[in-house]
Amino acid sequence: MTYVRAAALSELEEGTPKRVELDGTPVSLVRTEGEVFAINDICSHANVSLSEGEVEDCSIECWLHGSSFDLRTGKPSGLPATRPVPVYPVKIEGDDVLVSVTQES
């Protein structure tokens, strides 16, 4: 896997999603419960930005129709979304948040 710098850890506020674009992929970074998560920023149900939604515990809610997605797995926890969204591996090095949105063969 190739990791790229997504943001500074100090830029991420607890429970406030931050949208970034990595290699053409929209990603929502979320700092919560002592960890940083990276999840695809596009809701699988309505094609809207998840980073505009609310974070509660370890999930992010789509602001448009209320589907929540687990930040660890990307799985929806309720309708109307039925398909998961991709999640990405995160590494912290110093103040750098590194994310891999690509997999090498």
Side-chain angles (χ1 to χ4, degrees):
M1 283 187 273
T2 302
Y3 285 84
V4 295
R5 185 181 185 279
L9 184 60
S10 58
E11 293 174 348
L12 301 180
E13 294 181 37
E14 181 77 17
T16 302
K18 177 179 178 69
R19 185 181 196 279
V20 296
E21 192 156 316
L22 305 173
D23 295 330
T25 302
V27 176
S28 182
L29 300 174
V30 180
R31 186 176 188 172
T32 186
E33 297 186 355
E35 294 185 64
V36 176
F37 298 93
I39 188 167
N40 191 285
D41 192 46
I42 305 301
C43 176
S44 62
H45 168 256
N47 198 31
V48 297
S49 176
L50 290 176
S51 62
E52 296 177 28
E54 299 289 322
V55 173
E56 186 174 324
D57 300 323
C58 206
S59 66
I60 189 166
E61 182 181 62
C62 177
W63 63 270
L64 188 58
H65 294 116
S67 289
S68 289
F69 297 88
D70 188 300
L71 291 169
R72 295 170 293 242
T73 66
K75 292 181 181 175
S77 60
L79 297 173
T82 58
R83 291 175 293 130
V85 294
V87 294
Y88 308 106
V90 175
K91 291 194 306 188
I92 307 297
E93 291 182 358
D95 190 47
D96 292 332
V97 177
L98 307 173
V99 177
S100 176
V101 293
T102 60
Q103 289 189 339
E104 296 175 351
S105 19

